[in-house]
Amino acid sequence: MDLENAQVQMRKGILEYCILHIISRGEIYASEILDELINAKIMVVEGTLYPLLTRLKNSGLLDYKWVESTSGPPRKYYVLTDTGQLFLDNLNGTWNELSDSVTTIISKKSK
């Protein structure tokens, strides 16, 4: 089995959750989302973020607004919709259960 592929798959599995969590803090520009994901070593490929943001918006979980910029073109700032917040609240419960389960499994000592 390819270790790098397994690591990528693990990151992909939590990417949507992390993006929703970042956006839940308040309106945010896509490059700020990308910076946080890169700094947390969750994502390193910019081309992954924009299609995912579009999919989340088309699913009704996000919305955006255009804000004029003093240093260039207008910027698109993302926010969670009420549906997105409810979805995230449910994912938080799932994450807590999974995290507890994995911790239980990996903390057991061998016999």
Side-chain angles (χ1 to χ4, degrees):
M1 178 163 210
D2 180 9
L3 175 61
E4 186 176 333
N5 184 53
Q7 292 168 331
V8 167
Q9 293 305 314
M10 288 175 79
R11 285 185 182 97
K12 279 184 182 179
I14 60 169
L15 183 57
E16 182 176 303
Y17 175 60
C18 290
I19 289 170
L20 291 171
H21 228 291
I22 292 167
I23 296 171
S24 74
R25 298 182 207 136
E27 58 186 46
I28 188 166
Y29 184 55
S31 67
E32 295 170 321
I33 298 169
L34 182 62
D35 288 345
E36 186 164 346
L37 292 169
I38 289 171
N39 289 336
K41 298 180 181 168
I42 296 293
M43 184 174 77
V44 293
V45 181
E46 182 177 347
T48 303
L49 179 62
Y50 294 98
L52 185 49
L53 289 171
T54 298
R55 188 170 58 78
L56 293 170
K57 174 163 185 334
N58 290 344
S59 297
L61 303 178
L62 305 179
D63 203 355
Y64 62 81
K65 69 179 186 176
W66 290 100
V67 176
E68 290 297 323
S69 172
T70 57
S71 62
R75 292 181 171 192
K76 190 186 287 187
Y77 282 82
Y78 291 89
V79 294
L80 283 187
T81 61
D82 291 341
T83 302
Q85 185 60 58
L86 192 62
F87 188 80
L88 178 58
D89 292 344
N90 285 310
L91 285 180
N92 283 332
T94 302
W95 172 255
N96 290 333
E97 289 174 12
L98 283 170
S99 178
D100 290 347
S101 297
V102 170
T103 299
T104 297
I105 290 169
I106 65 175
S107 66
K108 285 191 176 182
K109 304 291 183 218
S110 58
K111 295 180 182 182

